[in-house]
């Protein structure tokens, strides 16, 4: 086999006159200075020191045509646009706007040259790198290239390990003592790897994340990813195998550490089982390719980089240990287990004993719609999270926020379209009496601000909440969140009332606050009473509550953080569905599908005096990107008819849950309003709430791939509150899992 005539493997690197090269750089880039040669296998690389500035000058192999440079330049621009946190160089244009120029070597051969921005750092020693971080970096680079395409990326590249069988004719260039080992690898590759490659994920990848192509700082943090000469469209897992093989070639612990690199990669981009099963064979293929290519180049050109000895040593090591044996150590469960254990330890060191959702921590790495992906490769149906109201990673929100972040993201004291449009759209969904919007960052901040407005407007300091409510984490909203008190007595200025359906208890609460001198400033109500046990709809109760608090001179605050954005299926806002005369409305993070944006909406007579007297302003609240995300949410809810969808799917889910509960005495009551549903769990023998049994059901559903939560005073109520894009198919999956639990 001979290499293609334009293959850089068969064409010597450029033979350059440095004075002529410097003259070309000065002519086209107006840069002067000193050139320092750098490492390059097929190309010629130089550091150009021009005063205080540094650049990388790269003269490509004469075999590289303009399409190759266009591929690399396009990829670099793509990466800098979609993943600015990845440290890749930029192309410095010539004075007339070109990306590269043609230079002539001393032997008359022509090469393309360009200038790149300089990246600081040094090449790491293989023994002194964080293997998992290396794997994560490889995965981040791959994810950033996932949407990139270019015609030149499909040209066959002999360094693409997928093409290993094409190198078999080069066995004749290998010494006799190595040939048999290479034949074993080639035979195995053709029998076990080639047949499954066509069904693997494929895309454009870097294909050469070796220590010689990566820069780090003194703390070993990656500061640069350099050579993109091996970019190609190939099987995704080949990129990981190449990175692992090249990194481990110089390490003392060698192949035993391969799983660490794969675990880091897997934590960012979960690998499929078939991909995991190929890693060891693909690493062996990379080592075999290094030996074969080096031998052929030595035979044809009399010289090649000395990379084959280490590669062959690793290959022999793999064959001695057994490729199957090494592959068996790289399995998704074991990788995920090690990664999760280390993450739990790090979390405890950083956060202390803050609660996690499950007895066995659930290590999530990705979300799409109503599906969450765990580090061990398992998929989970999300029937719990209300914040991503449109589902995880909704493309409309991602696109809107990303585009705005790439354009402008600043505070709302500047004149901008997005905050004004958002306020107008919100007001258009509410009764006419609402005409003011204050933008903040979270539901807690919104409720805190509503409380300040209520105190300012009424002159009173007393507040009322339901017995097990939750309204936030600030000092003010914590006072309205008995769910968080762990049984402590209410603050002096707070009174609690029973949630529906029982009697309201407002008379006593108002009487006590009046007698204590606090008076009534505000009542906070979550329209679906989520923390009290998901008790909505309760229209008569909420209307009576509003009347009682108004009679006492206070304000009714409709906390729509959990109840709003169409969750109830009757209206965008639960209090509007109940015709409750609320005074202030608070919204939280579902407003931006998880992007930090929230709002307080009220009437000018309440809001304007407060703003004037307090000079109120939130720097980050109403930031441009946050408003773009919130607008995308409102548009999507309207365009996709998600309010009506929530009603229809919620009715199906309510019926399905009641069917499961039939004949199950431990499931004593099922209720719901749109896509906010609850199932009470009791001890069948006593009929009393059974928190332990409810916990076992939640854990059992997790084992069956479904996520829900618990709520209520006794923590004995199953809380089901999925993103609004839940479908009938998901309902059936949840119901089946619950029936089996």
């Amino acid at each position: 086999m001979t290499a293609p005539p334009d293959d850089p493997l068969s064409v010597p690197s450029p033979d350059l006159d440095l004075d002529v090269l410097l003259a070309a750089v000065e002519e086209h880039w107006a840069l002067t200075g000193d050139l320092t040669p750098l490492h390059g296998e097929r190309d010629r690389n130089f550091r150009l020191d021009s005063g205080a500035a540094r650049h990388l000058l790269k003269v490509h192999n004469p075999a590289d045509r303009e399409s190759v440079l266009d591929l690399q330049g396009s990829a670099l621009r793509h990466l800098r646009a979609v993943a600015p946190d990845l440290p890749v160089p930029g192309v410095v244009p010539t004075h007339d706007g070109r990306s590269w120029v043609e230079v002539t070597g001393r032997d008359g051969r022509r090469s393309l040259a360009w200038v790149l921005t300089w990246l600081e750092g040094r090449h790491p020693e293989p023994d002194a790198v964080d293997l998992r971080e290396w794997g994560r970096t490889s995965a981040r680079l791959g994810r950033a290239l996932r949407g990139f395409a270019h015609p030149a990326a499909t040209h066959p590249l002999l360094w693409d390990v997928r093409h290993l069988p094409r190198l078999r004719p080069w066995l004749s260039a290998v010494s006799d003592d190595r040939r048999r080992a290479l034949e074993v690898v080639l035979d195995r590759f053709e029998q076990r790897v080639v047949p499954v490659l066509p069904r693997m994920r494929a895309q454009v990848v870097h294909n050469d994340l070796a220590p010689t192509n990566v820069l780090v700082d003194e703390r070993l943090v990656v500061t640069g990813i350099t050579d993109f000469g091996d970019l190609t469209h190939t099987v995704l897992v080949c990129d990981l195998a190449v990175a692992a093989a090249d990194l481990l070639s110089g390490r003392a612990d060698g192949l035993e550490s391969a799983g660490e690199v794969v675990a880091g990669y897997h934590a960012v981009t979960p690998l499929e089982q078939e991909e995991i099963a190929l890693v060891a064979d693909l690493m062996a293929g990379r080592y075999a390719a290094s030996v074969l290519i080096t031998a052929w180049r030595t035979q044809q050109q009399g010289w090649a980089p000395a990379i084959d000895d280490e590669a062959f040593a690793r290959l022999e090591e793999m064959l001695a240990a057994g490729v199957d044996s090494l592959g068996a150590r790289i399995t998704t469960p074991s990788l995920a287990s090690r990664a999760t254990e280390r993450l739990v330890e790090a979390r405890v060191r950083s956060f202390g004993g803050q609660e996690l959702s499950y007895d066995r921590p659930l290590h999530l790495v990705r979300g799409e719609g109503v599906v969450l992906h765990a580090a061990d490769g398992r998929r989970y149906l999300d029937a719990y999270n209300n914040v991503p109201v449109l589902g995880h990673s909704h493309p409309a929100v991602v696109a809107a926020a990303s585009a705005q972040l790439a354009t402008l993201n600043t505070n709302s004291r500047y004149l901008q379209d997005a905050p004004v449009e958002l306020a107008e759209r919100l007001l258009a969904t509410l009764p006419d009496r609402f005409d003011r919007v204050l933008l903040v960052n979270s539901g807690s901040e919104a409720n805190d601000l509503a409380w300040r407005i209520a105190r300012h407007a009424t002159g009173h300091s007393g507040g009322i909440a339901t017995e097990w409510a939750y309204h936030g984490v600030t000092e003010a909203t914590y006072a309205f969140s008995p769910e968080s008190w762990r049984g402590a007595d209410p603050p002096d200025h707070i009174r609690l009332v029973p949630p529906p359906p029982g009697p309201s208890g407002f008379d006593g609460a108002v009487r006590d606050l009046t007698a204590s001198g606090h008076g009534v400033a505000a009542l906070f109500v979550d329209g679906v009473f989520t923390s009290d046990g998901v008790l909505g709809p309760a229209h008569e109760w909420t209307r009576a509550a509003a009347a009682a608090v108004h009679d006492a001179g206070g304000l009714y605050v409709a906390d729509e953080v959990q109840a709003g954005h169409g969750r109830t299926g009757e209206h965008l806002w639960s209090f509007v569905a109940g015709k409750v005369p609320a005074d202030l409305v608070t919204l939280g993070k579902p407003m931006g599908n998880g992007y930090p944006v929230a709002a307080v909406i009220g009437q000018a007579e309440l809001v304007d005096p407060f703003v004037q007297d307090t000079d109120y302003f939130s720097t980050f609240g109403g930031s441009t990107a946050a408003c773009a995300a919130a607008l995308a949410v409102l548009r999507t809810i309207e365009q996709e008819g998600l309010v009506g969808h929530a009603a229809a799917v919620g009715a199906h889910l309510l019926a399905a849950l009641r069917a499961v509960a039939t004949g199950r005495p431990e499931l004593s009551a099922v209720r719901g309003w749109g896509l906010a549903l609850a199932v009470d769990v009791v001890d069948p023998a006593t009929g009393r709430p059974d928190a332990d049994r409810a916990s076992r059901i939640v854990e059992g559903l997790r084992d069956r791939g479904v996520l829900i939560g618990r709520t209520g005073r006794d923590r004995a109520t199953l809380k089901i509150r999925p993103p609004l894009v839940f479908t009938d198919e998901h309902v059936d999956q949840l119901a089946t899992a619950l029936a089996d639990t």
Side-chain angles (χ1 to χ4, degrees):
M1 172 187 174
T2 59
D6 61 346
D7 190 330
L9 292 179
S10 63
V11 178
S13 59
D15 182 13
L16 303 168
D17 183 316
L18 298 192
D19 291 333
V20 173
L21 182 60
L22 271 173
V25 171
E26 183 175 5
E27 175 187 357
H28 296 288
W29 282 276
L31 295 173
T32 60
D34 299 321
L35 293 179
T36 302
L38 303 173
H39 169 78
E41 179 197 353
R42 307 186 301 259
D43 312 316
R44 295 290 302 277
N45 299 310
F46 303 91
R47 186 182 73 212
L48 173 61
D49 292 292
S50 180
R54 279 184 175 175
H55 295 85
L56 174 66
L57 171 62
K58 188 178 189 70
V59 183
H60 287 258
N61 190 284
D64 285 344
R65 298 170 181 172
E66 290 192 356
S67 60
V68 172
L69 271 71
D70 190 62
L71 164 64
Q72 295 181 35
S74 298
L76 290 174
R77 287 190 295 273
H78 174 85
L79 289 170
R80 289 166 71 88
V82 305
D85 57 320
L86 284 172
V88 302
V91 178
V92 179
T94 64
H95 61 76
D96 58 355
R98 289 182 293 165
S99 294
W100 56 78
V101 299
E102 190 176 79
V103 297
T104 303
R106 287 185 290 204
D107 55 5
R109 294 183 300 151
R110 296 179 180 274
S111 299
L112 300 176
W114 61 9
V115 174
L116 303 171
T117 56
W118 182 259
L119 300 173
E120 293 292 343
R122 60 179 176 83
H123 297 302
E125 294 296 327
D127 277 331
V129 297
D130 183 331
L131 296 177
R132 286 184 180 242
E133 182 59 28
W134 202 275
R136 286 190 288 268
T137 299
S138 177
R140 288 169 56 214
L141 186 55
R143 285 181 71 84
L145 286 169
R146 184 166 53 182
F148 176 73
H150 192 282
T154 60
H155 294 174
L157 179 74
L158 294 182
W159 276 114
D160 177 359
V161 68
R162 176 182 53 164
H163 296 311
L164 178 65
R166 296 182 60 192
L167 305 183
R168 184 181 284 274
W170 292 359
L171 279 169
S172 60
V174 178
S175 60
D176 293 342
D177 60 325
R178 295 184 172 185
R179 193 172 301 148
R180 179 55 190 156
L182 293 169
E183 288 175 339
V184 170
V185 173
L186 282 162
D187 291 346
R188 180 183 172 93
F189 196 94
E190 290 172 348
Q191 294 166 10
R192 299 171 60 94
V193 178
V194 170
V196 300
L197 287 179
R199 62 174 180 260
M200 299 290 103
R201 291 182 288 181
Q203 64 170 75
V204 175
V205 299
H206 182 272
N207 197 45
D208 198 15
L209 199 68
T212 52
N213 292 329
V214 175
L215 301 172
V216 298
D217 62 15
E218 294 305 315
R219 296 172 300 149
L220 301 179
V221 174
V222 174
T223 60
I225 302 169
T226 56
D227 191 349
F228 282 74
D230 283 352
L231 273 174
T232 191
H233 187 282
T234 190
V235 173
L236 181 63
V237 72
C238 290
D239 193 37
L240 165 61
V242 166
D246 290 358
L247 177 62
L248 299 175
S249 286
R251 287 184 64 95
D253 50 5
L255 300 171
E256 293 300 318
S257 301
E260 292 294 299
V261 184
V262 179
Y265 189 100
H266 183 72
V268 175
T269 299
L271 293 159
E272 299 171 359
Q273 289 291 348
E274 282 189 309
E275 292 171 324
I276 290 280
L278 289 178
V279 171
D281 275 292
L282 291 171
M283 288 177 63
R286 174 68 166 185
Y287 293 136
S290 297
V291 175
L292 285 163
I293 290 172
T294 301
W296 180 84
R297 294 183 69 182
T298 301
Q299 182 188 72
Q300 298 294 313
Q301 302 170 12
W303 174 88
I307 60 175
D308 60 328
D309 290 341
E310 176 65 27
F312 187 74
R314 292 301 186 196
L315 189 60
E316 283 194 309
E317 185 180 341
M318 291 190 77
L319 293 175
V323 179
D324 286 329
S325 176
L326 289 171
R329 301 177 205 171
I330 306 173
T331 61
T332 301
S334 64
L335 290 175
S337 176
R338 291 200 299 272
T340 300
E341 289 171 4
R342 289 183 56 172
L343 190 58
V344 168
E345 293 168 0
R347 190 181 194 277
V348 170
R349 288 195 301 270
S350 301
F351 297 156
Q354 294 181 33
E355 182 183 1
L356 287 166
S357 293
Y358 291 93
D359 292 340
R360 291 178 294 106
L362 182 55
H363 182 180
L364 297 174
V365 295
R366 183 162 52 96
E368 296 170 320
V370 297
V371 176
L372 290 167
H373 298 260
D376 62 2
R378 285 203 67 183
R379 291 159 51 94
Y380 292 89
L381 176 66
D382 184 1
Y384 175 73
N385 286 291
N386 71 311
V387 171
V389 66
L390 304 182
H392 299 275
S393 306
H394 193 283
V397 180
V398 172
S402 299
Q404 190 60 59
L405 283 169
T407 305
L408 173 70
N409 188 35
T410 188
N411 70 65
S412 57
R413 271 187 173 164
Y414 299 105
L415 192 60
Q416 299 163 65
D417 290 331
V420 176
E421 182 183 356
L422 176 59
E424 290 176 341
R425 282 180 174 262
L426 286 170
L427 292 173
T429 68
L430 292 161
D432 290 342
R433 66 180 181 277
F434 292 100
D435 52 8
R436 291 292 187 271
V437 177
L438 298 176
L439 297 172
V440 291
N441 305 287
S442 70
S444 292
E445 188 180 351
N447 282 329
D448 189 292
L449 179 57
W451 173 239
R452 291 177 61 193
I453 294 172
R455 292 193 61 180
H456 182 273
T458 64
H460 300 156
S461 59
I464 303 174
T466 53
E467 289 179 339
W468 206 247
Y470 174 81
H471 294 285
V473 298
T474 67
E475 182 173 4
T477 58
Y478 174 79
F480 285 86
S481 303
E483 181 192 45
S484 302
W485 298 350
R486 296 187 178 274
D489 292 331
D492 179 66
H493 68 293
I494 296 294
R495 297 296 182 273
L496 302 180
V497 296
S504 67
F506 275 102
D507 290 344
V510 169
R511 187 168 52 251
D512 284 355
L513 286 173
T514 302
S516 68
H518 289 292
V520 179
L523 161 70
F524 281 75
V525 174
D526 162 15
V528 294
F529 302 90
T530 312
S531 295
D532 287 295
V534 188
L535 304 175
H539 298 327
E540 291 185 9
W541 190 99
T542 49
R543 286 194 292 267
V549 75
H550 288 156
D551 288 344
L555 304 184
Y556 184 104
V557 179
D559 181 345
E560 294 284 327
V561 173
Q562 299 191 72
H565 281 90
R567 178 157 299 280
T568 63
E570 290 188 31
H571 191 278
L572 207 58
W573 317 114
S574 69
F575 83 95
V576 176
K579 298 180 180 179
V580 180
D583 302 290
L584 296 170
V585 183
T586 57
L587 313 179
K589 280 183 283 292
M591 182 175 172
N593 208 55
Y595 196 99
V597 58
V600 178
I601 307 173
Q603 304 167 61
E605 63 188 57
L606 298 174
V607 175
D608 289 356
F610 169 78
V611 172
Q612 181 177 351
D613 292 347
T614 64
D615 195 28
Y616 171 78
F617 178 66
S618 172
T619 299
F620 190 61
S623 68
T624 329
C627 292
L631 283 166
V633 169
L634 290 175
R635 282 195 299 267
T636 303
I637 289 175
E638 180 179 1
Q639 291 168 358
E640 298 185 5
L642 291 182
V643 177
H645 179 82
V649 176
H652 180 195
L653 180 54
L654 185 63
L657 293 173
R658 285 174 171 164
V660 172
T662 301
R664 297 270 298 269
E666 74 276 17
L667 305 180
S668 69
V670 180
R671 57 188 171 273
W673 188 14
L675 281 173
L677 300 101
V679 181
D680 290 336
V681 180
V682 300
D683 180 342
T686 65
R688 298 180 62 82
D690 192 334
D692 289 341
R693 190 182 299 268
S695 176
R696 290 195 298 272
I697 291 174
V698 171
E699 296 286 345
L701 284 171
R702 174 255 176 88
D703 292 339
R704 290 163 177 80
V706 176
L707 306 183
I708 66 168
R710 290 190 292 154
T711 190
R713 175 186 289 274
D714 299 297
R715 301 282 291 164
T717 296
L718 305 181
K719 178 170 58 175
I720 301 169
R721 189 189 51 182
L724 299 191
V725 291
F726 218 65
T727 67
D728 288 345
E729 178 185 356
H730 302 130
V731 167
D732 296 341
Q733 182 181 345
L734 190 161
T736 299
L738 180 60
D740 292 340
T741 302

